[in-house]
Amino acid sequence: MTKPVKITAILTARPGKAEELKALLSGMVVPCRAEPGNLLWNIWQDQAEPGRFVLDELYTDNAAIAAHRQTPHFKNYLAKVTDLAERTALLLDPVEVA
């Protein structure tokens, strides 16, 4: 049996890049949510620091994440994001999830 996998990514825009980062992330919403193994894909913006964004992603399993990372939209994101933000991503397994 497969188990869901969550990705929580924190992206802090480089100086002067917050709007460009927000646009890049917003462009990911529709194609990511359309992926067969995607269960959730949301963007959150920090109230205290508007240049910081949190990606809240949930996939059916690790194979779905691997497929996500092979999509053209993810490869485009990866090619651009390093110039726009500092990024930390956590890959999480469920322990007690309702």
Side-chain angles (χ1 to χ4, degrees), residues 5-28:
V5 181
K6 182 174 191 60
I7 297 175
T8 299
I10 302 166
L11 298 98
T12 304
R14 297 189 189 285
K17 300 289 186 175
E19 288 305 313
E20 195 174 346
L21 176 60
K22 187 175 184 179
L24 177 65
L25 297 176
S26 294
M28 295 284 288

Side-chain angles (χ1 to χ4, degrees), residues 8-71:
T8 299
I10 302 166
L11 298 98
T12 304
R14 297 189 189 285
K17 300 289 186 175
E19 288 305 313
E20 195 174 346
L21 176 60
K22 187 175 184 179
L24 177 65
L25 297 176
S26 294
M28 295 284 288
V29 173
V30 171
C32 288
R33 288 179 179 168
E35 294 173 24
N38 180 270
L39 301 172
L40 177 83
W41 207 96
N42 293 316
I43 306 167
W44 296 85
Q45 188 171 17
D46 189 334
Q47 291 182 4
E49 189 176 328
R52 184 171 25 214
F53 300 88
V54 176
L55 299 182
D56 182 21
E57 307 173 46
L58 185 63
Y59 296 89
T60 54
D61 54 23
N62 281 316
I65 292 173
H68 165 69
R69 291 179 175 162
Q70 294 304 311
T71 61

